Amino acid sequence: MVVLLGDKRIRVDRWHPLITIGRDDASDLPVPDRYASRRHCSIRLVRSNFYLVDHSVNGTYVTFASGEEVHLLRGEIVLEGSGEIRLGRSRDEVADSTIIFRRDRRSAYRP
């Protein structure tokens, strides 16, 4: 899976099975947004599924390519296909930092 924010690109795969996203500079994907928690969420690979796990107070909004938006609050969801992740705000609100995710061919052939 490829995760993008602006010009920053991170791959989640068997060599990097866990990434952290948040306001903390030590995060794998730092997000300078006041609605983001220091350790807002993480994406982890388990077998062939990518899980988004929310650790925040404001929640995480996931919009899938189908247009369906899910509000996740201290829970987890399987990320399938492609879509957008917003920290603490829905797509209806102005979000400075929209994170793009997409499952690529390399992800599909993960052992």
Side-chain angles (χ1 to χ4, degrees):
M1 173 170 282
V2 177
V3 181
L4 305 148
L5 175 63
D7 61 352
K8 178 96 173 173
R9 174 188 171 119
I10 297 179
R11 179 174 294 283
V12 183
D13 56 22
R14 68 179 179 171
W15 297 278
H16 301 98
L18 174 70
I19 65 165
T20 58
I21 302 170
R23 206 176 61 239
D24 191 337
D25 288 337
S27 297
D28 297 306
L29 188 63
V31 179
D33 188 314
R34 66 185 180 109
Y35 288 93
S37 298
R38 279 178 272 141
R39 185 172 181 260
H40 197 97
C41 62
S42 57
I43 298 175
R44 63 184 163 90
L45 173 62
V46 179
R47 294 187 185 93
S48 61
N49 291 316
F50 296 92
Y51 292 88
L52 173 75
V53 183
D54 178 75
H55 312 285
S56 72
V57 173
N58 295 324
T60 302
Y61 291 83
V62 180
T63 305
F64 293 98
S66 65
E68 175 190 12
E69 183 176 64
V70 177
H71 180 216
L72 189 63
L73 187 59
R74 298 205 181 248
E76 63 182 48
I77 191 170
V78 175
L79 297 176
E80 297 192 25
S82 62
E84 299 175 342
I85 300 168
R86 291 176 185 82
L87 308 183
R89 291 182 279 181
S90 75
R91 67 179 165 205
D92 296 332
E93 301 174 63
V94 176
D96 299 334
S97 307
T98 299
I99 300 163
I100 307 295
F101 70 89
R102 70 171 180 262
R103 192 165 179 157
D104 60 348
R105 286 186 181 183
R106 283 179 61 186
S107 302
Y109 297 109
R110 184 204 164 287

